[in-house]
Amino acid sequence: MNYFKHTKKTLIVSCQAVDKEPLNNVKTITLMAKACIEGGATSLRLSQVPHIKSIKKFIKKNKLNIPIIGIIKKKYENSEVFITPTIKEVKKLLRLKLEVIALDATLRQRPKESLEEIVKFIRTKHPKQIIMADCSCKEDVLNADKLGFDIIGTTLRGYTTETQGKDNLENNFEFIKWCTKNVKAKVILEGGVWDPETAADALIETDIHAVVVGSAITRPLEIVKKYLSIINKYK
């Protein structure tokens, strides 16, 4: 499968649940992924090894052509980085033989190995593995592109101290457009897309490769909170 040809200008659905989230159950997440696939998702972004294994098994059993972006969320005491933060998590994902592995590519202090060391490890051991950089700002993006990531994701914009209050949609996708003009890697918009119209606008008006939507589709807890935050403004 040519991952980039398969996912060009399409919707990728992030289907995840961790820690104490109500849907953090292998069977539940697998059914959620099944629903997303039947709805037309061309690719999935998944986290945690048991969930990924179960969904991969479903995909294989049904002979489906659904590539996976895989991550492992793991918190360490000495770092804010928790998306595939060390080589230990990378090794677990590599054993799953996923089409894409994503990791935090911000310039924040990491719990163990540097970002450069992790990229070098992947490129040395598995040179054909597609890797995605979850970024938050221009500095992250330029550094990730320099390191040779295949995909730049805007996943962490608004989630770091430096980018609090910022998002991917402001000023008519200004940050997204900057990314597509300044890197060689494919750019995927992830984060802040809450309706189909915004997703379509991004795909049409910018040069992004694809758009990832997660919370607005697969996290009912966050969806309800979003509704109420808006409704309560009018009380």
Side-chain angles (χ1 to χ4, degrees):
M1 177 199 303
N2 184 319
Y3 181 81
F4 293 112
K5 183 177 181 180
H6 181 80
T7 58
K8 185 176 181 180
K9 291 294 181 180
T10 61
L11 172 67
I12 300 169
V13 178
S14 179
C15 189
Q16 304 176 40
V18 297
D19 300 329
K20 295 182 179 180
E21 292 185 52
L23 300 185
N24 186 10
N25 173 278
V26 172
K27 184 176 180 180
T28 301
I29 286 295
T30 303
L31 289 173
M32 181 75 79
K34 180 177 182 290
C36 293
I37 292 169
E38 290 184 2
T42 60
S43 177
L44 298 173
R45 177 167 163 126
L46 308 173
S47 70
Q48 313 314 95
V49 171
H51 296 174
I52 297 171
K53 281 185 175 180
S54 178
I55 295 166
K56 274 202 69 176
K57 183 178 180 181
F58 167 79
I59 290 171
K60 183 177 181 180
K61 180 181 179 180
N62 291 277
K63 299 179 180 180
L64 300 172
N65 194 24
I66 305 293
I68 293 170
I69 300 173
I71 68 172
I72 293 176
K73 291 182 176 178
K74 173 69 175 179
K75 294 180 180 178
Y76 289 86
E77 291 184 0
N78 63 330
S79 175
E80 295 179 347
V81 172
F82 68 94
I83 298 177
T84 321
T86 75
I87 287 177
K88 180 180 180 180
E89 288 76 44
V90 168
K91 286 180 177 179
K92 290 180 180 180
L93 292 172
L94 286 170
R95 285 195 286 269
L96 295 175
K97 297 181 179 180
L98 306 174
E99 286 78 12
V100 182
I101 290 177
L103 54 150
D104 183 311
T106 63
L107 298 178
R108 297 178 292 182
Q109 177 181 320
R110 305 188 71 87
K112 195 173 181 181
E113 303 91 0
S114 69
L115 186 60
E116 291 82 354
E117 288 172 327
I118 296 176
V119 171
K120 184 178 180 180
F121 172 81
I122 297 173
R123 292 305 189 205
T124 300
K125 301 293 184 179
H126 298 267
K128 293 184 180 181
Q129 176 67 56
I130 298 173
I131 51 176
M132 176 175 176
D134 288 346
C135 299
S136 69
C137 62
K138 293 179 180 180
E139 291 76 16
D140 296 344
V141 169
L142 292 175
N143 185 59
D145 196 49
K146 182 180 177 181
L147 290 177
F149 276 86
D150 304 288
I151 301 170
I152 300 293
T154 59
T155 319
L156 293 169
R157 187 160 183 79
Y159 291 95
T160 63
T161 301
E162 293 76 17
T163 61
Q164 282 186 358
K166 298 182 180 180
D167 63 58
N168 292 314
L169 313 183
E170 58 191 356
N171 300 322
N172 192 29
F173 306 111
E174 181 181 17
F175 177 66
I176 303 300
K177 291 175 180 177
W178 179 90
C179 290
T180 60
K181 292 177 181 177
N182 287 278
V183 300
K184 297 178 182 178
K186 304 289 186 183
V187 176
I188 289 181
L189 165 58
E190 179 172 5
V193 179
W194 279 91
D195 58 76
E197 290 77 16
T198 301
D201 287 344
L203 289 167
I204 294 168
E205 297 178 17
T206 76
D207 291 326
I208 57 169
H209 177 75
V211 59
V212 174
V213 178
S215 297
I217 297 175
T218 60
R219 298 180 72 188
L221 184 151
E222 296 300 327
I223 296 170
V224 172
K225 286 169 65 176
K226 183 80 171 179
Y227 267 84
L228 290 175
S229 70
I230 297 172
I231 290 171
N232 290 336
K233 292 179 181 179
Y234 296 92
K235 287 186 176 181

